[in-house]
Amino acid sequence: MNENLPPQIQTALAECISGAHIAERKADDYLKLSRGEADDSIYEACRSMHRFYSSMHEFFREEQRAISALLKTDRGAMPSQVAAAVR
């Protein structure tokens, strides 16, 4: 993260990045749990949690994009430190 950004922006971007990674990992974990599960109710619960965490992952990515859009310069170019943080 670039130190030229205000601390609030650095924190918001860091939380979005962290949240996206955690949600993605949990979604993968629940998908793995659902594979080969013989009990239909456990299978459905795992798939439901997979969908939930997949949605959370997308939410955090959307938040990153929204923050980035707000930080665009007048020319429409995103400052390089923000572009690097969003990747």
Side-chain angles (χ1 to χ4, degrees):
M1 192 86 41
N2 191 301
E3 295 170 4
N4 294 331
L5 293 173
Q8 300 91 333
I9 301 297
Q10 289 181 28
T11 300
L13 286 171
E15 288 175 354
C16 287
I17 292 166
S18 176
H21 288 304
I22 292 168
E24 183 177 37
R25 188 176 63 244
K26 288 198 165 280
D28 288 343
D29 289 347
Y30 277 105
L31 184 61
K32 288 175 190 170
L33 283 173
S34 72
R35 292 190 180 131
E37 180 55 58
D39 185 323
D40 287 344
S41 61
I42 294 173
Y43 172 82
E44 286 303 323
C46 289
R47 295 297 293 184
S48 177
M49 292 304 293
H50 167 74
R51 286 188 298 275
F52 169 77
Y53 281 111
S54 293
S55 295
M56 289 304 299
H57 175 261
E58 188 55 34
F59 166 79
F60 284 116
R61 297 296 293 171
E62 284 295 322
E63 288 297 305
Q64 279 181 272
R65 287 188 281 273
I67 292 168
S68 299
L70 291 172
L71 294 173
K72 285 188 178 184
T73 63
D74 291 336
R75 295 185 190 129
M78 188 181 307
S80 60
Q81 66 267 27
V82 176
V86 173
R87 289 189 198 134

